[in-house]
Amino acid sequence: MATDASPAFQTVTQPHDFRPEISASPSSAHDGLEFWQFMIAGSIAGLVEHMAMFPVDTLKTRMQIFGGSCSVQPIGVRQALGSILKLEGPAGLYRGIGAMGLGAGPAHAVYFSVYEIFKEYFSRGNPNSPVAHAVSGVFATVASDAVITPMDVVKQRLQLQSSPYKGVADCVRRVLVEEGVGAFYKSYRTTVVMNAPFTAVHFATYEAAKRGLMEVSPESASDERLVVHATAGAAAGALAAAVTTPLDVVKTQLQCQGVCGCDRFSSNSIGNVIRSLVMKDGYRSLMRGWIPRMLFHAPAAAICWSTYEASKTFFQELNGSDSSRN
């Protein structure tokens, strides 16, 4: 799978009769946007999404660690939030946000640009195909996970209570010295296995929900269309998050193993981690943090998709104004 702009497309679209016409232009993409414009739109969307919802992500990490390796006793959202505020103050909710800021922009730039390219390729003749949207989403997540995984490891280690790291740079340096570069990718396989079905469900649900909502009000104004994108994104994020929570728990265990007293695993395989968790805390351990995970992904997806579509609209209008002047 290529992740550069070499297979980019340019298309001519009509509102109700989409038929892609592919050109050989190396820098153009469909929807009237250049490849780099998809990347910028995706980058903006990713940064806004993760920065806005970061405290909820911190709660999820704490609950998954407490309920998995470091403590058998499960804790709820209110208990986790109260503990952080009492012991660390509001700043404790934002530990590790710098790592996510460094990783989210580039990862989402790759994510959305790859998605748009493969959606254009697989949707030829049937732009509303949920299979094309799902497969495109899988390609997008495999590429973007390679970018985000190292910073996600740093982020989660900084999110832990009594984290031994002073900051992003200190965490990166110590992990490289003490564990080697491979430590940043111990969870990559699990992340891909988790995010492939997550993204397939997410994109298929988003496109279907968006299409259904647009049919209800096909002539809606731009602000109403923003609500459509946000609503469809929220539904897609919530459903995908619920389905993939067990794999997210496994990912958290792998990324935080050996830190702050968390267990180390004899193997990084998904099956080995699941067996260890089930033996220690039963099958309920695989659903730790599902509430904050859904609370994160529903509004996060709404924010992400609405920001992305708004950015695309901005570039489309910008390109249109440039064309009219020429």
Side-chain angles (χ1 to χ4, degrees):
M1 179 191 66
T3 57
D4 57 18
S6 57
F9 307 118
Q10 181 179 18
T11 64
V12 178
T13 62
Q14 298 297 328
H16 303 294
D17 186 22
F18 177 91
R19 291 294 185 273
E21 299 178 5
I22 303 176
S23 77
S25 171
S27 61
S28 297
H30 66 291
D31 286 352
L33 299 183
E34 303 290 333
F35 183 83
W36 66 267
Q37 292 174 323
F38 281 121
M39 295 192 74
I40 291 178
S43 181
I44 293 171
L47 284 171
V48 172
E49 168 198 357
H50 284 283
M51 298 302 102
M53 300 305 301
F54 194 84
V56 182
D57 184 66
T58 299
L59 292 177
K60 184 213 71 171
T61 297
R62 294 289 182 93
M63 291 176 67
Q64 288 181 340
I65 288 297
F66 288 155
S69 297
C70 297
S71 173
V72 176
Q73 294 300 319
I75 62 172
V77 176
R78 183 181 301 179
Q79 188 178 352
L81 177 60
S83 175
I84 293 174
L85 293 177
K86 181 179 179 180
L87 299 176
E88 305 167 56
L93 294 169
Y94 290 92
R95 278 185 58 85
I97 194 171
M100 186 50 59
L102 291 173
H108 279 72
V110 172
Y111 187 88
F112 280 105
S113 55
V114 171
Y115 172 70
E116 293 286 355
I117 287 174
F118 279 95
K119 184 177 76 170
E120 171 67 9
Y121 178 78
F122 289 117
S123 295
R124 284 178 291 180
N126 185 11
N128 295 325
S129 169
V131 175
H133 297 148
V135 172
S136 301
V138 172
F139 276 105
T141 199
V142 171
S144 65
D145 283 346
V147 179
I148 193 65
T149 296
M151 284 296 101
D152 194 52
V153 171
V154 174
K155 178 211 66 165
Q156 287 205 308
R157 291 190 177 204
L158 289 170
Q159 286 176 322
L160 297 178
Q161 185 178 9
S162 304
S163 174
Y165 307 107
K166 298 177 181 178
V168 175
D170 180 59
C171 183
V172 171
R173 181 184 60 81
R174 290 180 57 181
V175 171
L176 284 174
V177 171
E178 298 170 8
E179 304 174 54
V181 68
F184 291 113
Y185 282 97
K186 284 184 177 179
S187 65
Y188 178 66
R189 180 173 55 185
T190 304
T191 301
V192 170
V193 171
M194 173 187 72
N195 283 339
F198 178 96
T199 309
V201 173
H202 184 109
F203 275 113
T205 304
Y206 171 75
E207 296 287 355
K210 183 178 71 171
R211 186 169 63 252
L213 291 170
M214 294 292 281
E215 288 175 355
V216 173
S217 182
E219 304 299 329
S220 57
S222 59
D223 56 339
E224 293 177 338
R225 288 179 180 271
L226 193 63
V227 173
V228 167
H229 294 308
T231 303
L239 179 60
V243 170
T244 57
T245 293
L247 289 170
D248 188 57
V249 173
V250 173
K251 176 185 74 89
T252 299
Q253 306 304 319
L254 288 174
Q255 294 188 163
C256 298
Q257 59 180 318
V259 183
C260 297
C262 296
D263 290 346
R264 284 195 177 276
F265 299 96
S266 58
S267 168
N268 293 326
S269 71
I270 297 173
N272 178 64
V273 177
I274 289 177
R275 283 191 297 271
S276 298
L277 294 176
V278 170
M279 287 179 61
K280 189 166 188 176
D281 196 21
Y283 287 100
R284 65 178 184 175
S285 64
L286 300 178
M287 292 302 293
R288 297 302 182 206
W290 72 272
I291 293 177
R293 179 165 164 79
M294 288 187 66
L295 291 176
F296 175 92
H297 281 286
I303 293 169
C304 184
W305 276 111
S306 56
T307 303
Y308 178 62
E309 296 288 355
S311 299
K312 283 174 60 178
T313 300
F314 169 78
F315 282 124
Q316 287 167 343
E317 293 175 352
L318 182 64
N319 292 348
S321 63
D322 288 343
S323 298
S324 63
R325 284 198 297 268
N326 294 334

